[in-house]
Amino acid sequence: MSNRIMTKYAGNPVIRPSMLPQEVLYTFNPGAIKHGEEYILMMDATTLDDIHRIWIARSKDGYSFELDPQAVSWPAPDPGHPETCTYDPRITKIGDDYYILYASDLSQNDVRIGILKTSDFRSFERVSIASELGNRNGALFPEKKDGLYMRLDRPFGNELSPCYMWISYSPDLVFWGKSKPLTYEGKPFRDGYKMGAGAVPIRTEEGWLEIYHTVSQTCNGFIYRLKACLLDLEDPSKVLRYTREFLLWPEHDYEMTGRVANVVFTCNALLERDGTVKIYYGAADTNIGLAEGKLSDIIGACE
């Protein structure tokens, strides 16, 4: 990779906390999708009570966004499964419905994967919430395999411990099993101190394209950066190829300074009709940036 695969938008950040209609501390890590001709961002917004809530931004051109007047009216959790914070949504379209997998938080390490669905991004219905704690970064594939839903996820014991991408299967989006780690050349796929799914996988002729975050440990913290891999179409637990070099990394003030320094993090990758991939990414857990690149270039960079 002699040249950059992804180009950051000159007008970044496209969304910052001051743009919201009420005062918030931070806004970051949006799920994104096209709904008709409208771009939808479902982003994390940290309100003044230090709770992460989901807020929607809408755009006709993908660059200039209008913010909803208030946070999403979130369906109440199931009895016995309370949640404090909701964040990092990933949106998958299956049929006429859009499924949102998100982190349902009791505390920093007590996290589960919740699932909502909507058809209009105005009202939302709860599908399920996992009973097991210690799993997040859920990304639902847009297709079933052998009658089963598939999701990428990331089980973990402690936020500071190494953890990696897994795949799980479900007949009904409620009960999940057959879980196993992704593998590369027959061994667990481990790229960085820890890593996790970012975008909803994109089907290509070369395999499922997955944009993921990889984390490097430094002497005084972590650096979050983005890479890509191709998963086997017949067995998505197998990594075929991946990028040896980073697609995106922190380099500007808005990516290096904020709630969590030195972070670029994505929950989306949108494929446009002309082959452009748009990635709306969280920057230092404070702002939202946009980067664009060609699908063919990203696939070609997977060596």
Side-chain angles (χ1 to χ4, degrees):
M1 289 168 54
S2 58
N3 299 310
R4 292 193 181 211
I5 299 300
M6 306 297 299
T7 300
K8 293 176 181 177
Y9 177 51
N12 277 347
V14 292
I15 297 178
R16 53 175 59 90
S18 61
M19 295 171 60
L20 271 70
Q22 72 180 57
E23 191 167 8
V24 301
L25 299 173
Y26 322 102
T27 183
F28 54 103
N29 296 3
I33 203 160
K34 290 285 288 291
H35 178 235
E37 294 302 313
E38 185 175 52
Y39 292 84
I40 298 286
L41 300 188
M42 295 186 70
M43 56 193 175
D44 303 351
T46 307
T47 46
L48 300 188
D49 53 6
D50 204 26
I51 292 177
H52 302 328
R53 293 176 166 87
I54 304 299
W55 211 295
I56 290 181
R58 306 171 193 269
S59 174
K60 296 298 184 184
D61 63 5
Y63 302 97
S64 299
F65 286 86
E66 294 184 1
L67 285 298
D68 279 7
Q70 57 190 14
V72 170
S73 180
W74 208 250
D78 298 336
H81 296 293
E83 56 187 14
T84 303
C85 294
T86 54
Y87 57 96
D88 293 3
R90 293 163 174 92
I91 310 167
T92 302
K93 188 176 189 293
I94 299 179
D96 295 327
D97 290 318
Y98 298 84
Y99 293 88
I100 299 101
L101 274 63
Y102 69 97
S104 172
D105 201 349
L106 288 173
S107 67
Q108 186 178 49
N109 295 312
D110 294 332
V111 186
R112 297 163 297 190
I113 296 174
I115 304 178
L116 303 184
K117 72 175 181 178
T118 184
S119 60
D120 58 8
F121 291 95
R122 303 288 178 183
S123 61
F124 297 84
E125 174 186 344
R126 183 170 297 279
V127 176
S128 65
I129 189 167
S131 58
E132 73 275 10
L133 293 172
N135 201 343
R136 67 182 184 201
N137 292 327
L140 184 67
F141 285 74
E143 299 177 12
K144 293 181 180 181
K145 181 65 177 175
D146 298 327
L148 298 176
Y149 294 96
M150 304 180 289
R151 80 175 184 202
L152 297 174
D153 51 40
R154 195 203 72 180
F156 69 106
N158 184 285
E159 185 61 39
L160 301 179
S161 301
C163 42
Y164 306 97
M165 284 194 289
W166 286 52
I167 190 168
S168 301
Y169 300 85
S170 173
D172 55 8
L173 296 175
V174 177
F175 299 100
W176 293 87
K178 300 180 66 177
S179 302
K180 57 183 176 180
L182 298 191
T183 60
Y184 176 68
E185 295 184 343
K187 298 179 181 179
F189 181 46
R190 297 183 174 180
D191 186 14
Y193 180 78
K194 58 180 181 175
M195 59 189 295
V200 170
I202 298 172
R203 172 182 270 276
T204 77
E205 293 182 356
E206 301 287 332
W208 289 106
L209 178 67
E210 171 59 22
I211 310 294
Y212 62 93
H213 64 267
T214 175
V215 183
S216 299
Q217 191 176 33
T218 71
C219 61
N220 62 352
F222 294 115
I223 302 176
Y224 281 70
R225 295 172 280 206
L226 301 185
K227 298 179 76 172
C229 64
L230 288 166
L231 308 178
D232 189 278
L233 292 175
E234 294 303 313
D235 183 358
S237 71
K238 295 180 180 179
V239 176
L240 302 177
R241 309 198 302 272
Y242 67 99
T243 56
R244 298 306 201 271
E245 299 184 9
F246 300 112
L247 296 180
L248 286 179
W249 59 91
E251 56 183 321
H252 302 296
D253 286 346
Y254 65 88
E255 300 161 333
M256 301 177 71
T257 303
R259 176 177 174 267
V260 183
N262 298 322
V263 171
V264 295
F265 186 98
T266 191
C267 296
N268 67 84
L270 301 187
L271 179 60
E272 302 280 33
R273 295 187 183 96
D274 66 356
T276 298
V277 175
K278 281 185 167 67
I279 296 177
Y280 296 92
Y281 63 94
D285 274 18
T286 301
N287 301 291
I288 294 173
L290 167 63
E292 297 175 293
K294 289 296 183 182
L295 176 67
S296 57
D297 291 340
I298 300 172
I299 292 174
C302 295
E303 301 174 359

